[in-house]
């Protein structure tokens, strides 16, 4: 029975997250805030995360999300449109604009992979967000490369063959959130002079225990008071 419940939980997550991300992508402007909310959602363990965590994260970070959304749309959307236009209208090709578009797209992919985790876990202003997002890449080279490859692959699909994109709307944010959260833990542990294990242990204790070491009470909604 427990196995069926776990399968049901993942199936419900898949449907809800896919629908929310798809709707936000179609309407464009809500996509970046939704990505941050979904990243915060996936940052919690399976048994503790709730769909309202998505909107709580968006509401708690709405100020920085205004600036980050505009920045990300400019550095991702316009290069994608330029590349798509040149691919479909080669007679109007401008290699300089195309090169600038690809450079901007690479930068946009880096921030698209790293910035949502920074926003979901840190209280930063816009310039701190840019700096810390770059630092996230150095948490682990292999995790960063995998994450960037996933995001870059999705952007390439959007440009060249967008039809299967709906199948990635759950898995890609899930994997990216996990990889970047691990990078975040490694950088934070290094800054604090401790281990990732001790850091995670301390965080779990803070989540479930109050300052007296007692288990935090649960309210009617299933949240810790």
């Amino acid at each position: 029975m427990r196995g069926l419940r776990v399968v049901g939980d993942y199936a419900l997550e898949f449907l809800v997250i896919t629908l929310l991300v798809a709707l936000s992508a179609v309407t464009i402007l809500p996509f970046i805030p939704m990505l941050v909310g979904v990243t915060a959602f996936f940052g919690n363990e399976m048994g503790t995360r709730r769909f309202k965590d998505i909107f709580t994260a968006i509401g708690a970070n709405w100020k920085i999300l205004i600036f980050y959304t505009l920045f990300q749309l400019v550095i991702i959307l316009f290069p994608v449109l330029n590349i798509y236009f040149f691919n479909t209208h080669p007679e109007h090709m401008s290699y300089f604009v195309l090169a600038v578009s690809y450079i901007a797209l690479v930068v946009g992919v880096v921030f698209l992979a790293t910035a949502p985790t920074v926003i979901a876990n840190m209280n930063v202003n816009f310039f701190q967000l840019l700096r810390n997002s770059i630092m996230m890449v150095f948490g682990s080279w292999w995790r960063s490369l995998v994450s960037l490859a996933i995001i870059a692959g999705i952007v390439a699909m959007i440009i060249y063959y967008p039809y299967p994109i709906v199948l990635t709307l759950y898995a890609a944010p899930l994997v990216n959130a996990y990889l970047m959260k691990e990078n975040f833990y490694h950088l934070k542990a290094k800054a604090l002079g401790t281990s990732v294990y001790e850091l995670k242990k301390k965080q779990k204790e803070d989540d479930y225990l109050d300052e007296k070491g007692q288990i935090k009470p649960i309210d009617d909604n299933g949240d810790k008071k």
Side-chain angles (χ1 to χ4, degrees):
M1 291 296 293
R2 185 177 182 276
L4 289 176
R5 179 181 177 182
V6 171
V7 171
D9 288 343
Y10 274 110
L12 179 61
E13 269 196 12
F14 175 83
L15 292 174
V16 173
I17 297 300
T18 298
L19 179 61
L20 289 175
V21 176
L23 288 175
S24 67
V26 168
T27 48
I28 300 177
L29 281 178
F31 175 70
I32 298 301
M34 182 57 65
L35 185 60
V36 171
V38 169
T39 298
F41 171 80
F42 284 136
N44 299 321
E45 295 181 1
M46 180 63 182
T48 63
R49 58 193 186 218
R50 298 173 178 82
F51 294 123
K52 75 174 186 178
D53 296 341
I54 299 172
F55 303 99
T56 299
I58 294 173
N61 296 285
W62 67 271
K63 290 183 180 179
I64 188 65
L65 282 174
I66 292 175
F67 296 102
Y68 174 57
T69 298
L70 293 175
F71 167 79
Q72 197 70 77
L73 287 177
V74 169
I75 206 168
I76 286 283
L77 186 59
F78 286 108
V80 166
L81 292 176
N82 283 337
I83 294 169
Y84 179 79
F85 176 79
F86 290 139
N87 285 337
T88 55
H89 300 80
E91 67 276 11
H92 298 294
M93 176 69 71
S94 170
Y95 289 103
F96 174 77
V97 175
L98 185 63
V100 171
S101 296
Y102 273 115
I103 293 171
L105 195 56
V106 170
V107 174
V109 165
V110 171
F111 284 107
L112 195 62
T114 59
T117 298
V118 174
I119 295 174
N121 292 278
M122 301 177 68
N123 183 19
V124 293
N125 60 37
F126 182 68
F127 294 104
Q128 290 170 336
L129 171 64
L130 298 182
R131 184 177 67 250
N132 288 324
S133 296
I134 294 296
M135 290 301 300
M136 284 285 289
V137 176
F138 300 98
S140 166
W141 280 109
W142 76 264
R143 277 192 295 267
S144 297
L145 288 174
V146 171
S147 184
L148 293 174
I150 291 172
I151 303 299
I154 293 174
V155 172
M157 287 173 61
I158 293 172
I159 296 173
Y160 299 107
Y161 194 74
Y163 304 107
I165 199 75
V166 68
L167 300 177
T168 70
L169 299 182
Y170 174 80
L174 173 64
V175 174
N176 185 72
Y178 171 76
L179 294 173
M180 288 298 106
K181 188 66 178 288
E182 288 298 311
N183 276 14
F184 174 78
Y185 279 132
H186 276 74
L187 289 172
K188 186 174 180 180
K190 184 177 180 180
L192 296 176
T194 185
S195 67
V196 174
Y197 172 79
E198 291 296 331
L199 185 62
K200 290 182 177 180
K201 180 181 177 182
K202 178 65 166 59
Q203 179 174 306
K204 186 168 290 189
E205 290 174 350
D206 291 342
D207 288 342
Y208 288 96
L209 302 177
D210 60 21
E211 64 274 7
K212 296 180 181 179
Q214 302 297 316
I215 297 176
K216 294 179 181 179
I218 306 298
D219 61 21
D220 294 337
N221 296 320
D223 297 325
K224 293 180 284 295
K225 295 181 181 179

